[in-house]
Amino acid sequence: MAPKMPERQFRINTQFAEEMADIKTQQLLGSQALGAIITVLDGIVDKLMASKLLSEHDSLVQDYFTAIGELKRVGLKMDPPVDPNAKVYQVKCPNCQAIINAEPEVPVERCDWCGHVFSDF
């Protein structure tokens, strides 16, 4: 006996959601790896240019910075992985009590959960 359409659709939707989550995870890991590599390469290039072993006018250096600039321009986020032991700055919404992750220097304007507008920003 064939499964009912809603059950079958539920399984398809579940499988699709799991595969999308896997793709997003792989994309995040790939962009974090790229970000870590770029951070190291930028440091190496800076040190080589400071010691006059490499010139900013070198075509390879210019190609590197052009390529990285283009990736950033089209929106590729290349943030290196965050330290898993770093303290996460959190704000508690006074309205719904939700915990909101935030940047320490950037005030929270609105609660993502209930829409409460913080007056202290």
Side-chain angles (χ1 to χ4, degrees), residues 82-92 99-104:
V82 233
D83 178 4
N85 298 322
K87 186 172 178 359
V88 177
Y89 180 70
Q90 297 178 328
V91 176
K92 189 177 202 177
I99 302 297
I100 304 163
N101 291 342
E103 297 294 322

Side-chain angles (χ1 to χ4, degrees), residues 11 27 55 70 85:
R11 285 197 310 262
Q27 182 182 16
S55 167
E70 181 62 17
N85 298 322

Side-chain angles (χ1 to χ4, degrees), residues 60-77:
L60 192 57
V61 173
Q62 290 179 348
D63 290 347
Y64 169 75
F65 285 121
T66 300
I68 298 306
E70 181 62 17
L71 288 173
K72 289 178 180 178
R73 187 189 70 75
V74 296
L76 180 62
K77 301 225 183 308

Side-chain angles (χ1 to χ4, degrees), residues 1-17:
M1 179 175 193
K4 296 178 184 176
M5 185 60 170
E7 292 174 25
R8 182 173 179 225
Q9 188 63 50
F10 176 76
R11 285 197 310 262
I12 291 170
N13 291 351
T14 301
Q15 181 180 357
F16 179 74

